[in-house]
mmCIF file of all heavy atoms in Angstrom:
data_model
loop_
_atom_site.group_PDB
_atom_site.id
_atom_site.type_symbol
_atom_site.label_atom_id
_atom_site.label_comp_id
_atom_site.label_asym_id
_atom_site.label_seq_id
_atom_site.Cartn_x
_atom_site.Cartn_y
_atom_site.Cartn_z
ATOM 1 N N ASN A 1 -7.431 16.020 -27.287
ATOM 2 C CA ASN A 1 -8.212 14.947 -26.661
ATOM 3 C C ASN A 1 -9.634 15.357 -26.343
ATOM 4 O O ASN A 1 -10.399 14.582 -25.745
ATOM 5 C CB ASN A 1 -7.534 14.476 -25.389
ATOM 6 C CG ASN A 1 -6.256 13.717 -25.679
ATOM 7 O OD1 ASN A 1 -6.196 12.921 -26.624
ATOM 8 N ND2 ASN A 1 -5.213 13.962 -24.879
ATOM 9 N N ILE A 2 -10.040 16.554 -26.726
ATOM 10 C CA ILE A 2 -11.409 17.017 -26.568
ATOM 11 C C ILE A 2 -12.054 16.999 -27.962
ATOM 12 O O ILE A 2 -11.839 17.901 -28.774
ATOM 13 C CB ILE A 2 -11.443 18.431 -25.940
ATOM 14 C CG1 ILE A 2 -10.772 18.398 -24.563
ATOM 15 C CG2 ILE A 2 -12.887 18.917 -25.827
ATOM 16 C CD1 ILE A 2 -10.544 19.766 -23.959
ATOM 17 N N ILE A 3 -12.834 15.979 -28.222
ATOM 18 C CA ILE A 3 -13.388 15.746 -29.556
ATOM 19 C C ILE A 3 -14.744 16.414 -29.666
ATOM 20 O O ILE A 3 -15.656 16.146 -28.867
ATOM 21 C CB ILE A 3 -13.526 14.230 -29.835
ATOM 22 C CG1 ILE A 3 -12.265 13.473 -29.412
ATOM 23 C CG2 ILE A 3 -13.859 14.000 -31.297
ATOM 24 C CD1 ILE A 3 -10.996 13.914 -30.065
ATOM 25 N N THR A 4 -14.866 17.316 -30.625
ATOM 26 C CA THR A 4 -16.157 18.036 -30.795
ATOM 27 C C THR A 4 -16.835 17.737 -32.128
ATOM 28 O O THR A 4 -18.049 17.933 -32.259
ATOM 29 C CB THR A 4 -15.917 19.556 -30.684
ATOM 30 O OG1 THR A 4 -14.994 19.962 -31.702
ATOM 31 C CG2 THR A 4 -15.346 19.920 -29.320
ATOM 32 N N ASP A 5 -16.057 17.283 -33.115
ATOM 33 C CA ASP A 5 -16.620 17.094 -34.462
ATOM 34 C C ASP A 5 -17.045 15.638 -34.664
ATOM 35 O O ASP A 5 -16.537 14.925 -35.519
ATOM 36 C CB ASP A 5 -15.601 17.506 -35.527
ATOM 37 C CG ASP A 5 -14.271 16.742 -35.398
ATOM 38 O OD1 ASP A 5 -14.012 16.167 -34.321
ATOM 39 O OD2 ASP A 5 -13.516 16.719 -36.391
ATOM 40 N N ILE A 6 -17.988 15.223 -33.875
ATOM 41 C CA ILE A 6 -18.504 13.846 -33.951
ATOM 42 C C ILE A 6 -19.981 13.884 -34.312
ATOM 43 O O ILE A 6 -20.727 14.773 -33.861
ATOM 44 C CB ILE A 6 -18.313 13.079 -32.625
ATOM 45 C CG1 ILE A 6 -18.837 13.908 -31.447
ATOM 46 C CG2 ILE A 6 -16.854 12.710 -32.411
ATOM 47 C CD1 ILE A 6 -18.856 13.164 -30.144
ATOM 48 N N PRO A 7 -20.432 12.945 -35.148
ATOM 49 C CA PRO A 7 -21.862 12.922 -35.499
ATOM 50 C C PRO A 7 -22.715 12.498 -34.313
ATOM 51 O O PRO A 7 -22.195 11.867 -33.363
ATOM 52 C CB PRO A 7 -21.931 11.882 -36.613
ATOM 53 C CG PRO A 7 -20.770 10.989 -36.363
ATOM 54 C CD PRO A 7 -19.679 11.869 -35.805
ATOM 55 N N PRO A 8 -23.986 12.828 -34.311
ATOM 56 C CA PRO A 8 -24.877 12.381 -33.224
ATOM 57 C C PRO A 8 -24.920 10.854 -33.150
ATOM 58 O O PRO A 8 -24.757 10.172 -34.163
ATOM 59 C CB PRO A 8 -26.254 12.960 -33.612
ATOM 60 C CG PRO A 8 -25.941 14.059 -34.567
ATOM 61 C CD PRO A 8 -24.694 13.655 -35.296
ATOM 62 N N LEU A 9 -25.131 10.346 -31.959
ATOM 63 C CA LEU A 9 -25.219 8.907 -31.735
ATOM 64 C C LEU A 9 -26.685 8.471 -31.706
ATOM 65 O O LEU A 9 -27.568 9.243 -31.314
ATOM 66 C CB LEU A 9 -24.552 8.530 -30.409
ATOM 67 C CG LEU A 9 -23.074 8.896 -30.291
ATOM 68 C CD1 LEU A 9 -22.581 8.638 -28.862
ATOM 69 C CD2 LEU A 9 -22.233 8.141 -31.284
ATOM 70 N N MET A 10 -26.926 7.237 -32.105
ATOM 71 C CA MET A 10 -28.295 6.721 -32.116
ATOM 72 C C MET A 10 -28.744 6.221 -30.750
ATOM 73 O O MET A 10 -29.909 5.848 -30.561
ATOM 74 C CB MET A 10 -28.446 5.604 -33.135
ATOM 75 C CG MET A 10 -28.286 6.071 -34.569
ATOM 76 S SD MET A 10 -29.320 7.492 -35.023
ATOM 77 C CE MET A 10 -30.972 6.790 -34.854
ATOM 78 N N ILE A 11 -27.838 6.186 -29.761
ATOM 79 C CA ILE A 11 -28.254 5.855 -28.411
ATOM 80 C C ILE A 11 -29.026 7.019 -27.821
ATOM 81 O O ILE A 11 -29.015 8.127 -28.370
ATOM 82 C CB ILE A 11 -27.036 5.504 -27.534
ATOM 83 C CG1 ILE A 11 -26.025 6.669 -27.515
ATOM 84 C CG2 ILE A 11 -26.387 4.222 -28.008
ATOM 85 C CD1 ILE A 11 -24.840 6.424 -26.626
ATOM 86 N N SER A 12 -29.720 6.793 -26.704
ATOM 87 C CA SER A 12 -30.613 7.820 -26.164
ATOM 88 C C SER A 12 -30.426 7.977 -24.664
ATOM 89 O O SER A 12 -29.802 7.130 -23.997
ATOM 90 C CB SER A 12 -32.076 7.449 -26.464
ATOM 91 O OG SER A 12 -32.288 7.332 -27.851
ATOM 92 N N GLU A 13 -30.939 9.051 -24.134
ATOM 93 C CA GLU A 13 -30.823 9.428 -22.738
ATOM 94 C C GLU A 13 -32.097 10.098 -22.267
ATOM 95 O O GLU A 13 -32.838 10.652 -23.083
ATOM 96 C CB GLU A 13 -29.664 10.414 -22.558
ATOM 97 C CG GLU A 13 -28.397 9.836 -21.947
ATOM 98 C CD GLU A 13 -28.530 9.502 -20.482
ATOM 99 O OE1 GLU A 13 -29.514 9.965 -19.834
ATOM 100 O OE2 GLU A 13 -27.675 8.772 -19.967
ATOM 101 N N ASP A 14 -32.302 10.054 -20.942
ATOM 102 C CA ASP A 14 -33.413 10.835 -20.376
ATOM 103 C C ASP A 14 -32.871 11.958 -19.452
ATOM 104 O O ASP A 14 -33.654 12.658 -18.815
ATOM 105 C CB ASP A 14 -34.398 9.955 -19.643
ATOM 106 C CG ASP A 14 -33.830 9.364 -18.351
ATOM 107 O OD1 ASP A 14 -32.584 9.367 -18.170
ATOM 108 O OD2 ASP A 14 -34.617 8.852 -17.537
ATOM 109 N N PHE A 15 -31.567 12.130 -19.406
ATOM 110 C CA PHE A 15 -30.881 13.137 -18.587
ATOM 111 C C PHE A 15 -31.535 14.504 -18.661
ATOM 112 O O PHE A 15 -31.827 15.162 -17.673
ATOM 113 C CB PHE A 15 -29.412 13.163 -19.062
ATOM 114 C CG PHE A 15 -28.672 14.438 -18.896
ATOM 115 C CD1 PHE A 15 -28.046 14.748 -17.716
ATOM 116 C CD2 PHE A 15 -28.559 15.344 -19.973
ATOM 117 C CE1 PHE A 15 -27.306 15.913 -17.578
ATOM 118 C CE2 PHE A 15 -27.836 16.509 -19.846
ATOM 119 C CZ PHE A 15 -27.206 16.801 -18.642
ATOM 120 N N HIS A 16 -31.813 14.965 -19.907
ATOM 121 C CA HIS A 16 -32.316 16.323 -20.114
ATOM 122 C C HIS A 16 -33.754 16.504 -19.647
ATOM 123 O O HIS A 16 -34.232 17.650 -19.534
ATOM 124 C CB HIS A 16 -32.199 16.715 -21.600
ATOM 125 C CG HIS A 16 -32.704 15.677 -22.555
ATOM 126 N ND1 HIS A 16 -32.425 14.340 -22.441
ATOM 127 C CD2 HIS A 16 -33.475 15.788 -23.688
ATOM 128 C CE1 HIS A 16 -32.999 13.690 -23.431
ATOM 129 N NE2 HIS A 16 -33.626 14.533 -24.195
ATOM 130 N N TYR A 17 -34.452 15.412 -19.357
ATOM 131 C CA TYR A 17 -35.816 15.542 -18.854
ATOM 132 C C TYR A 17 -35.867 16.111 -17.447
ATOM 133 O O TYR A 17 -36.936 16.498 -16.958
ATOM 134 C CB TYR A 17 -36.546 14.186 -18.909
ATOM 135 C CG TYR A 17 -37.168 13.951 -20.273
ATOM 136 C CD1 TYR A 17 -36.404 13.508 -21.354
ATOM 137 C CD2 TYR A 17 -38.516 14.204 -20.502
ATOM 138 C CE1 TYR A 17 -36.962 13.333 -22.605
ATOM 139 C CE2 TYR A 17 -39.073 14.020 -21.760
ATOM 140 C CZ TYR A 17 -38.301 13.598 -22.801
ATOM 141 O OH TYR A 17 -38.850 13.427 -24.042
ATOM 142 N N LEU A 18 -34.732 16.221 -16.787
ATOM 143 C CA LEU A 18 -34.690 16.879 -15.487
ATOM 144 C C LEU A 18 -34.981 18.368 -15.601
ATOM 145 O O LEU A 18 -35.356 19.005 -14.637
ATOM 146 C CB LEU A 18 -33.319 16.660 -14.827
ATOM 147 C CG LEU A 18 -33.025 15.250 -14.322
ATOM 148 C CD1 LEU A 18 -31.587 15.138 -13.855
ATOM 149 C CD2 LEU A 18 -33.989 14.845 -13.198
ATOM 150 N N VAL A 19 -34.794 18.940 -16.814
ATOM 151 C CA VAL A 19 -34.988 20.392 -16.979
ATOM 152 C C VAL A 19 -35.912 20.767 -18.142
ATOM 153 O O VAL A 19 -36.196 21.956 -18.314
ATOM 154 C CB VAL A 19 -33.633 21.118 -17.164
ATOM 155 C CG1 VAL A 19 -32.767 20.972 -15.927
ATOM 156 C CG2 VAL A 19 -32.893 20.601 -18.403
ATOM 157 N N LEU A 20 -36.367 19.816 -18.932
ATOM 158 C CA LEU A 20 -37.097 20.161 -20.148
ATOM 159 C C LEU A 20 -38.375 20.983 -19.876
ATOM 160 O O LEU A 20 -38.779 21.763 -20.697
ATOM 161 C CB LEU A 20 -37.447 18.909 -20.955
ATOM 162 C CG LEU A 20 -36.325 18.340 -21.830
ATOM 163 C CD1 LEU A 20 -36.867 17.240 -22.719
ATOM 164 C CD2 LEU A 20 -35.673 19.421 -22.680
ATOM 165 N N GLY A 21 -38.989 20.800 -18.745
ATOM 166 C CA GLY A 21 -40.206 21.552 -18.470
ATOM 167 C C GLY A 21 -39.947 22.873 -17.783
ATOM 168 O O GLY A 21 -40.897 23.626 -17.477
ATOM 169 N N ASN A 22 -38.683 23.225 -17.541
ATOM 170 C CA ASN A 22 -38.348 24.435 -16.810
ATOM 171 C C ASN A 22 -38.146 25.632 -17.744
ATOM 172 O O ASN A 22 -38.004 25.466 -18.956
ATOM 173 C CB ASN A 22 -37.067 24.223 -15.994
ATOM 174 C CG ASN A 22 -37.178 23.088 -14.986
ATOM 175 O OD1 ASN A 22 -38.285 22.668 -14.658
ATOM 176 N ND2 ASN A 22 -36.050 22.600 -14.521
ATOM 177 N N LYS A 23 -38.131 26.820 -17.155
ATOM 178 C CA LYS A 23 -37.854 28.021 -17.941
ATOM 179 C C LYS A 23 -36.429 28.000 -18.479
ATOM 180 O O LYS A 23 -36.166 28.488 -19.568
ATOM 181 C CB LYS A 23 -38.083 29.281 -17.085
ATOM 182 C CG LYS A 23 -39.532 29.513 -16.730
ATOM 183 C CD LYS A 23 -39.686 30.796 -15.911
ATOM 184 C CE LYS A 23 -41.157 31.037 -15.562
ATOM 185 N NZ LYS A 23 -41.315 32.262 -14.730
ATOM 186 N N LYS A 24 -35.520 27.445 -17.671
ATOM 187 C CA LYS A 24 -34.121 27.316 -18.102
ATOM 188 C C LYS A 24 -33.852 25.860 -18.451
ATOM 189 O O LYS A 24 -34.058 24.969 -17.633
ATOM 190 C CB LYS A 24 -33.187 27.784 -16.997
ATOM 191 C CG LYS A 24 -33.336 29.256 -16.640
ATOM 192 C CD LYS A 24 -32.433 29.643 -15.501
ATOM 193 C CE LYS A 24 -32.600 31.108 -15.134
ATOM 194 N NZ LYS A 24 -31.765 31.498 -13.990
ATOM 195 N N THR A 25 -33.381 25.628 -19.680
ATOM 196 C CA THR A 25 -33.125 24.257 -20.107
ATOM 197 C C THR A 25 -31.703 24.148 -20.683
ATOM 198 O O THR A 25 -31.477 23.501 -21.683
ATOM 199 C CB THR A 25 -34.152 23.813 -21.172
ATOM 200 O OG1 THR A 25 -34.081 24.724 -22.286
ATOM 201 C CG2 THR A 25 -35.554 23.801 -20.610
ATOM 202 N N VAL A 26 -30.773 24.809 -20.021
ATOM 203 C CA VAL A 26 -29.376 24.813 -20.489
ATOM 204 C C VAL A 26 -28.665 23.587 -19.940
ATOM 205 O O VAL A 26 -28.570 23.417 -18.734
ATOM 206 C CB VAL A 26 -28.670 26.109 -20.061
ATOM 207 C CG1 VAL A 26 -27.220 26.091 -20.520
ATOM 208 C CG2 VAL A 26 -29.405 27.336 -20.581
ATOM 209 N N TYR A 27 -28.164 22.747 -20.858
ATOM 210 C CA TYR A 27 -27.487 21.539 -20.397
ATOM 211 C C TYR A 27 -26.376 21.120 -21.327
ATOM 212 O O TYR A 27 -26.334 21.522 -22.502
ATOM 213 C CB TYR A 27 -28.487 20.394 -20.185
ATOM 214 C CG TYR A 27 -29.243 19.961 -21.443
ATOM 215 C CD1 TYR A 27 -28.657 19.098 -22.364
ATOM 216 C CD2 TYR A 27 -30.548 20.407 -21.689
ATOM 217 C CE1 TYR A 27 -29.350 18.687 -23.494
ATOM 218 C CE2 TYR A 27 -31.240 20.014 -22.813
ATOM 219 C CZ TYR A 27 -30.643 19.139 -23.724
ATOM 220 O OH TYR A 27 -31.335 18.726 -24.831
ATOM 221 N N ASP A 28 -25.468 20.297 -20.795
ATOM 222 C CA ASP A 28 -24.381 19.737 -21.568
ATOM 223 C C ASP A 28 -24.088 18.328 -21.064
ATOM 224 O O ASP A 28 -24.028 18.090 -19.856
ATOM 225 C CB ASP A 28 -23.114 20.599 -21.439
ATOM 226 C CG ASP A 28 -21.993 20.120 -22.341
ATOM 227 O OD1 ASP A 28 -22.271 19.805 -23.513
ATOM 228 O OD2 ASP A 28 -20.845 20.055 -21.863
ATOM 229 N N TYR A 29 -23.943 17.399 -22.023
ATOM 230 C CA TYR A 29 -23.720 15.999 -21.679
ATOM 231 C C TYR A 29 -22.460 15.518 -22.378
ATOM 232 O O TYR A 29 -22.347 15.595 -23.611
ATOM 233 C CB TYR A 29 -24.921 15.161 -22.102
ATOM 234 C CG TYR A 29 -25.039 13.823 -21.411
ATOM 235 C CD1 TYR A 29 -25.262 13.747 -20.039
ATOM 236 C CD2 TYR A 29 -24.948 12.654 -22.122
ATOM 237 C CE1 TYR A 29 -25.394 12.528 -19.403
ATOM 238 C CE2 TYR A 29 -25.088 11.425 -21.499
ATOM 239 C CZ TYR A 29 -25.304 11.367 -20.139
ATOM 240 O OH TYR A 29 -25.432 10.157 -19.492
ATOM 241 N N VAL A 30 -21.503 15.034 -21.597
ATOM 242 C CA VAL A 30 -20.164 14.736 -22.096
ATOM 243 C C VAL A 30 -19.904 13.225 -22.047
ATOM 244 O O VAL A 30 -20.239 12.563 -21.053
ATOM 245 C CB VAL A 30 -19.098 15.472 -21.230
ATOM 246 C CG1 VAL A 30 -17.691 15.095 -21.690
ATOM 247 C CG2 VAL A 30 -19.313 16.979 -21.316
ATOM 248 N N PHE A 31 -19.287 12.705 -23.089
ATOM 249 C CA PHE A 31 -18.841 11.295 -23.085
ATOM 250 C C PHE A 31 -17.390 11.242 -22.683
ATOM 251 O O PHE A 31 -16.544 11.964 -23.220
ATOM 252 C CB PHE A 31 -19.021 10.669 -24.455
ATOM 253 C CG PHE A 31 -20.470 10.395 -24.807
ATOM 254 C CD1 PHE A 31 -21.173 11.263 -25.638
ATOM 255 C CD2 PHE A 31 -21.118 9.301 -24.276
ATOM 256 C CE1 PHE A 31 -22.514 11.005 -25.936
ATOM 257 C CE2 PHE A 31 -22.453 9.042 -24.574
ATOM 258 C CZ PHE A 31 -23.138 9.909 -25.401
ATOM 259 N N VAL A 32 -17.093 10.355 -21.733
ATOM 260 C CA VAL A 32 -15.755 10.256 -21.157
ATOM 261 C C VAL A 32 -15.151 8.887 -21.485
ATOM 262 O O VAL A 32 -15.771 7.855 -21.222
ATOM 263 C CB VAL A 32 -15.805 10.452 -19.618
ATOM 264 C CG1 VAL A 32 -14.421 10.283 -19.007
ATOM 265 C CG2 VAL A 32 -16.379 11.818 -19.273
ATOM 266 N N GLY A 33 -13.942 8.893 -22.040
ATOM 267 C CA GLY A 33 -13.295 7.651 -22.387
ATOM 268 C C GLY A 33 -12.913 6.814 -21.170
ATOM 269 O O GLY A 33 -12.370 7.361 -20.195
ATOM 270 N N ILE A 34 -13.178 5.517 -21.241
ATOM 271 C CA ILE A 34 -12.919 4.643 -20.084
ATOM 272 C C ILE A 34 -12.188 3.358 -20.497
ATOM 273 O O ILE A 34 -11.987 2.478 -19.679
ATOM 274 C CB ILE A 34 -14.231 4.266 -19.348
ATOM 275 C CG1 ILE A 34 -15.309 3.740 -20.311
ATOM 276 C CG2 ILE A 34 -14.755 5.466 -18.587
ATOM 277 C CD1 ILE A 34 -15.185 2.334 -20.766
ATOM 278 N N ALA A 35 -11.746 3.249 -21.761
ATOM 279 C CA ALA A 35 -11.105 2.039 -22.232
ATOM 280 C C ALA A 35 -9.608 2.118 -22.096
ATOM 281 O O ALA A 35 -9.003 3.168 -22.382
ATOM 282 C CB ALA A 35 -11.499 1.769 -23.683
ATOM 283 N N ASN A 36 -9.005 1.050 -21.653
ATOM 284 C CA ASN A 36 -7.564 0.951 -21.568
ATOM 285 C C ASN A 36 -6.952 1.156 -22.951
ATOM 286 O O ASN A 36 -7.415 0.585 -23.938
ATOM 287 C CB ASN A 36 -7.182 -0.424 -21.010
ATOM 288 C CG ASN A 36 -5.684 -0.620 -20.920
ATOM 289 O OD1 ASN A 36 -5.040 -0.930 -21.905
ATOM 290 N ND2 ASN A 36 -5.160 -0.441 -19.726
ATOM 291 N N ASN A 37 -5.915 1.972 -23.026
ATOM 292 C CA ASN A 37 -5.349 2.332 -24.324
ATOM 293 C C ASN A 37 -4.809 1.092 -25.070
ATOM 294 O O ASN A 37 -4.914 0.994 -26.293
ATOM 295 C CB ASN A 37 -4.235 3.376 -24.173
ATOM 296 C CG ASN A 37 -3.865 4.000 -25.495
ATOM 297 O OD1 ASN A 37 -4.718 4.536 -26.192
ATOM 298 N ND2 ASN A 37 -2.600 3.946 -25.863
ATOM 299 N N ASN A 38 -4.228 0.145 -24.344
ATOM 300 C CA ASN A 38 -3.726 -1.076 -24.979
ATOM 301 C C ASN A 38 -4.850 -1.878 -25.607
ATOM 302 O O ASN A 38 -4.680 -2.447 -26.702
ATOM 303 C CB ASN A 38 -2.944 -1.925 -23.971
ATOM 304 C CG ASN A 38 -1.613 -1.291 -23.585
ATOM 305 O OD1 ASN A 38 -1.028 -0.544 -24.373
ATOM 306 N ND2 ASN A 38 -1.155 -1.597 -22.403
ATOM 307 N N SER A 39 -5.991 -1.917 -24.943
ATOM 308 C CA SER A 39 -7.117 -2.669 -25.489
ATOM 309 C C SER A 39 -7.658 -1.957 -26.726
ATOM 310 O O SER A 39 -8.130 -2.614 -27.663
ATOM 311 C CB SER A 39 -8.222 -2.831 -24.445
ATOM 312 O OG SER A 39 -8.832 -1.591 -24.125
ATOM 313 N N ILE A 40 -7.570 -0.636 -26.754
ATOM 314 C CA ILE A 40 -7.980 0.120 -27.949
ATOM 315 C C ILE A 40 -7.076 -0.227 -29.128
ATOM 316 O O ILE A 40 -7.528 -0.515 -30.242
ATOM 317 C CB ILE A 40 -7.902 1.653 -27.681
ATOM 318 C CG1 ILE A 40 -8.967 2.088 -26.672
ATOM 319 C CG2 ILE A 40 -8.051 2.428 -28.982
ATOM 320 C CD1 ILE A 40 -10.342 2.270 -27.220
ATOM 321 N N LEU A 41 -5.731 -0.246 -28.891
ATOM 322 C CA LEU A 41 -4.771 -0.557 -29.946
ATOM 323 C C LEU A 41 -4.966 -1.987 -30.462
ATOM 324 O O LEU A 41 -4.921 -2.211 -31.681
ATOM 325 C CB LEU A 41 -3.332 -0.365 -29.410
ATOM 326 C CG LEU A 41 -2.924 1.059 -29.044
ATOM 327 C CD1 LEU A 41 -1.558 1.100 -28.386
ATOM 328 C CD2 LEU A 41 -2.963 1.963 -30.274
#
């Protein structure tokens, strides 16, 4: 249930701008499933 082999998405974020100007720019952004499984099926 931990999916890593997914292509980049065309949507965008500004999350990483909190650190882009810093000496340390280590970050990770995770997508979390929120859809009811029955609605998916």
Side-chain angles (χ1 to χ4, degrees):
N1 290 320
I2 300 171
I3 315 301
T4 60
D5 57 342
I6 50 173
L9 301 173
M10 294 308 296
I11 57 178
S12 302
E13 256 288 346
D14 69 344
F15 152 86
H16 47 316
Y17 274 79
L18 289 172
V19 297
L20 280 189
N22 301 343
K23 291 181 179 178
K24 297 178 181 178
T25 58
V26 179
Y27 60 82
D28 185 45
Y29 200 65
V30 177
F31 287 101
V32 177
I34 51 79
N36 179 279
N37 194 55
N38 289 332
S39 68
I40 292 279
L41 294 174

